[in-house]
Amino acid sequence: MAETEAALRTLAYNVRTARTRAGLSLDELGRRAKVSKGSLFALEKAQGNPNFATLVRLADTLGVSVSALMEGAPQERVRVVSAEAVMPLWAGTHGSEARLMLTTSGPTTVEVWRWKLQPGEEYPSHPHQAGVVETLSVTAGRMVLVVDGVEHPVEAGQTATFDGDTPHTYRGDGGGTCHLIMTVHLPPGPA
């Protein structure tokens, strides 16, 4: 429970700091990110419980990565992260999940995600800001990537990439669990 409270305090601080840096009021951030002012106010007071879609919309609107909203300052030059140490940011009803493993720093930001998709279970994603590129590498099983309404099967050993500024969905397919690594390449600067 203490870890959850600490994570909420970090998230609250990071959202408030990014909003202030971007020169946005709570009203304006809420309008742009499609999040109510009340929810943002609670979040900045470490009293909210935002879902994954809300975090993605806030990050996109503020021009930062999701992990930049969730992580404290880096402590080490080299960071090794195990999947068990990272809470899922999305969990489906049949055992699917998405974990944000880490985010790189530098002139451009890259998020590294670990996904598990059960057959038939899907996650629909809203379009990201212009310039976001996603890459999916399936390590086991099979999935269907739907980009702008067009289905693209992706199997173990295959990698797909696409511009993330259009509606897209990740769906498990076939007879077993699909495991994949996803990278999200963010453009430099605010949205």
Side-chain angles (χ1 to χ4, degrees):
M1 193 63 158
E3 287 181 11
T4 301
E5 291 171 6
L8 278 173
R9 283 193 305 274
T10 298
L11 177 62
Y13 174 80
N14 290 341
V15 168
R16 189 172 45 256
T17 300
R19 178 180 62 78
T20 302
R21 187 178 320 122
L24 298 174
S25 67
L26 282 172
D27 285 328
E28 184 61 16
L29 177 58
R31 186 187 67 72
R32 290 184 186 185
K34 297 180 176 76
V35 177
S36 74
K37 181 180 177 182
S39 294
L40 284 173
F41 182 78
L43 177 61
E44 287 193 6
K45 297 290 183 190
Q47 299 168 345
N49 186 19
N51 64 28
F52 178 51
T54 298
L55 291 175
V56 171
R57 285 194 311 271
L58 286 171
D60 279 351
T61 302
L62 293 166
V64 300
S65 66
V66 172
S67 64
L69 295 179
M70 300 182 63
E71 293 180 350
Q75 302 297 318
E76 302 289 331
R77 184 172 173 94
V78 174
R79 193 169 33 136
V80 177
V81 180
S82 70
E84 297 76 32
V86 178
M87 295 293 295
L89 287 178
W90 171 75
T93 57
H94 302 301
S96 297
E97 63 182 28
R99 295 173 191 256
L100 177 56
M101 300 302 296
L102 58 85
T103 301
T104 64
S105 59
T108 58
T109 302
V110 178
E111 297 176 343
V112 179
W113 293 80
R114 185 179 295 251
W115 284 75
K116 180 170 64 170
L117 293 169
Q118 298 301 334
E121 195 158 32
E122 66 181 33
Y123 178 80
S125 179
H126 74 285
H128 302 297
Q129 63 178 316
V132 171
V133 176
E134 293 192 17
T135 302
L136 309 168
S137 293
V138 175
T139 60
R142 176 185 164 99
M143 70 170 291
V144 174
L145 171 64
V146 183
V147 177
D148 209 17
V150 178
E151 294 189 356
H152 304 273
V154 186
E155 300 181 8
Q158 293 182 323
T159 299
T161 189
F162 63 98
D163 293 333
D165 61 354
T166 187
H168 51 283
T169 300
Y170 323 111
R171 182 174 62 231
D173 195 35
T177 304
C178 176
H179 294 271
L180 62 113
I181 302 297
M182 176 175 71
T183 58
V184 179
H185 304 260
L186 302 167

